[in-house]
Amino acid sequence: MALIAVLALVPAACGRDSSSGGGGGGSSSASADPGITKTSIKLGGSYPFSGPASAYGTIGEGAKAYFKYLNAKGGVNGRKIDFMALDDGYEPPKALQNARRLVQQEKVFAMFNTLGTPNNLAIWDFLNQQKVPQLYVATGSSQWGKDIKAHPYTIGWQPNYVTEAKVYADYLKKAKPKAKVAVLYQNDGFGKDLLGGFEQGIAGSGIKIVKKETYNVTDPTVAAQVGRLARSGADTFLNITTPKFSAQAIAAVAKSGWKPLHILNNVGADKNLVLKPVGLQNAKGIVSTAYFKDPQDPQWKDDAAVKEYRDALKQYSPKSDPEDGFNMYGWTVASTMAKALEQMKKPTRAALMDAVRNMSLDQGTLLPGNKVETSPDDGYPLEAMQIIKFDGQNWKLQGNLIQAKAK
């Protein structure tokens, strides 16, 4: 149900260059920037269709399905969207190579939803120097909204890791105000960002972090780290991991006999891809967060927006699994992109950024009450999440949406 990162549980897709097939071609008019004509808009993105993070490639497939669906209805203001997604294998140098190709050779109007914190950091100076929009990047790093003046053409989309961490802190202060927390976190910007937000969130409370362990994405397993955390005396486990390691950590906790309150970050909380392989019984009681409707959740079975998504995915991406949260993520962020394109007043990159920086948008696949909202000095489109708890069969929403500003 959640956005998921490095996942060895899903076979890697073949490296490929792929396009939505909609629109494309033609030279821009004299008043328009490269990549946009009267009939088409060309977007580019870079995803790990191969390599250790290949599960993320499904996000690109969900986005392409949305654009095909939109094109079949006439596109955006009469323009069809041509989305060219290249494989980077989750390697920053390849992401930069792809960005250069897409901007300098393919002449895209904007870059959309490139995946991964290190990959986006590798390309954001180049794109901002070229004044090419780097929109709705698929990473929750708080970097993307911290200094808008330094990188005015870059923006994230999903709730950032600091927001997510503050939601956990808010929950824990009510559910377990004297918690002793053991933390496992990925030793990079993702892990440190989320941990830092959690430390901010618990400051001044009775909650204490008693033990920390790190891992690297190249590590074969985190079993040893979880073993040390289990012996720390902690009664709460904050699990800041990407899916391969999320699954390993859940299994290791079960094997150890440790019975903490288990908080699992959003990117590792997919039922089908993470929890099922390690046994649903081992995941019972785990707490996480959500911000869009879980296509695996029976409560959304008859929801109009979810039904629209399922029907369109079946038609425009028949090999894709509609219950895969990656596809729902890609679909939802692509609909935000389409709305920004619809709202721009001129066929220019500057006008697109003006639309991106001034949005107030309800989207049917977001959780009720959640909105995409930006302003010229607010670079965080989504800053609300809801606690979810796994009951042994499904994730269940708990309480209400929690607003948690990154700053």
Side-chain angles (χ1 to χ4, degrees):
M1 64 79 46
L3 170 62
I4 301 182
V6 182
L7 185 57
L9 301 173
V10 178
C14 296
R16 61 187 184 274
D17 295 355
S18 50
S19 168
S20 69
S27 60
S28 58
S29 66
S31 61
D33 281 341
I36 186 168
T37 72
K38 290 182 178 180
T39 59
S40 69
I41 303 170
K42 194 166 190 177
L43 303 177
S46 189
Y47 293 87
F49 290 119
S50 65
S54 59
Y56 260 147
T58 309
I59 293 173
E61 299 301 329
K64 284 190 287 180
Y66 180 82
F67 291 139
K68 289 178 182 179
Y69 167 75
L70 189 65
N71 287 344
K73 298 198 301 178
V76 178
N77 297 331
R79 295 182 173 100
K80 302 291 182 69
I81 295 177
D82 180 0
F83 179 41
M84 188 172 192
L86 306 183
D87 181 24
D88 59 36
Y90 206 63
E91 298 175 6
K94 186 64 182 293
L96 180 57
Q97 180 182 329
N98 287 347
R100 290 185 181 280
R101 173 185 163 183
L102 289 163
V103 171
Q104 296 172 338
Q105 298 177 34
E106 304 295 341
K107 306 295 183 183
V108 299
F109 182 58
M111 290 288 288
F112 164 70
N113 199 227
T114 289
L115 191 138
T117 300
N119 289 10
N120 278 287
L121 289 174
I123 67 177
W124 72 338
D125 285 335
F126 166 70
L127 294 175
N128 278 268
Q129 288 163 6
Q130 298 293 316
K131 297 184 178 180
V132 175
Q134 182 186 11
L135 301 183
Y136 307 132
V137 297
T139 149
S141 172
S142 61
Q143 291 283 348
W144 320 123
K146 272 183 179 176
D147 191 345
I148 295 172
K149 291 182 179 179
H151 292 90
Y153 282 84
T154 301
I155 195 168
W157 180 75
Q158 69 202 65
N160 66 83
Y161 302 133
V162 173
T163 287
E164 181 181 352
K166 288 181 176 179
V167 170
Y168 296 136
D170 181 89
Y171 166 78
L172 202 54
K173 283 188 283 190
K174 296 170 184 174
K176 209 176 184 77
K178 299 294 184 181
K180 295 182 289 184
V181 185
V183 184
L184 174 66
Y185 67 99
Q186 191 161 292
N187 190 23
D188 61 7
F190 150 61
K192 294 172 183 177
D193 212 19
L194 209 153
L195 174 59
F198 182 74
E199 289 174 331
Q200 290 177 35
I202 64 171
S205 73
I207 300 167
K208 304 295 181 187
I209 295 176
V210 298
K211 181 73 172 174
K212 301 176 188 177
E213 290 282 344
T214 66
Y215 73 93
N216 297 311
V217 293
T218 53
D219 289 349
T221 178
V222 293
Q225 291 95 319
V226 172
R228 289 191 288 271
L229 294 174
R231 296 188 294 271
S232 69
D235 56 23
T236 303
F237 176 32
L238 177 58
N239 185 354
I240 306 171
T241 54
T242 49
K244 169 186 173 181
F245 302 101
S246 300
Q248 290 181 356
I250 293 167
V253 168
K255 187 176 180 180
S256 73
W258 186 27
K259 301 290 184 183
L261 169 59
H262 190 156
I263 298 174
L264 174 63
N265 61 190
N266 177 275
V267 300
D270 188 275
K271 173 185 167 182
N272 288 348
L273 298 175
V274 175
L275 307 188
K276 278 187 176 179
V278 298
L280 295 182
Q281 71 281 3
N282 293 324
K284 187 174 182 179
I286 290 178
V287 169
S288 190
T289 49
Y291 57 97
F292 58 82
K293 293 172 182 174
D294 180 359
Q296 300 164 19
D297 189 339
Q299 76 168 301
W300 307 120
K301 179 176 179 291
D302 296 319
D303 180 84
V306 175
K307 288 176 71 174
E308 178 186 47
Y309 151 79
R310 285 180 174 276
D311 292 345
L313 201 69
K314 182 178 180 180
Q315 181 175 358
Y316 297 107
S317 188
K319 293 183 179 179
S320 296
D321 179 3
E323 294 208 344
D324 187 338
F326 289 162
N327 285 315
M328 176 63 90
Y329 175 96
W331 172 275
T332 306
V333 68
S335 67
T336 303
M337 181 72 223
K339 183 58 67 172
L341 290 167
E342 180 185 318
Q343 291 181 358
M344 69 180 182
K345 296 178 180 178
K346 297 179 181 178
T348 66
R349 290 162 172 166
L352 175 57
M353 289 311 305
D354 185 57
V356 165
R357 299 285 183 198
N358 292 276
M359 296 194 80
S360 181
L361 175 63
D362 290 303
Q363 291 184 232
T365 49
L366 293 175
L367 287 178
N370 212 358
K371 294 181 69 172
V372 173
E373 293 189 285
T374 60
S375 67
D377 59 355
D378 179 4
Y380 299 107
L382 286 165
E383 291 188 281
M385 304 183 87
Q386 195 162 347
I387 290 292
I388 54 176
K389 189 172 184 178
F390 194 69
D391 68 1
Q393 291 297 322
N394 294 294
W395 289 105
K396 297 295 184 182
L397 292 167
Q398 308 289 306
N400 301 311
L401 277 173
I402 298 173
Q403 294 283 340
K405 299 291 185 182
K407 292 183 179 179

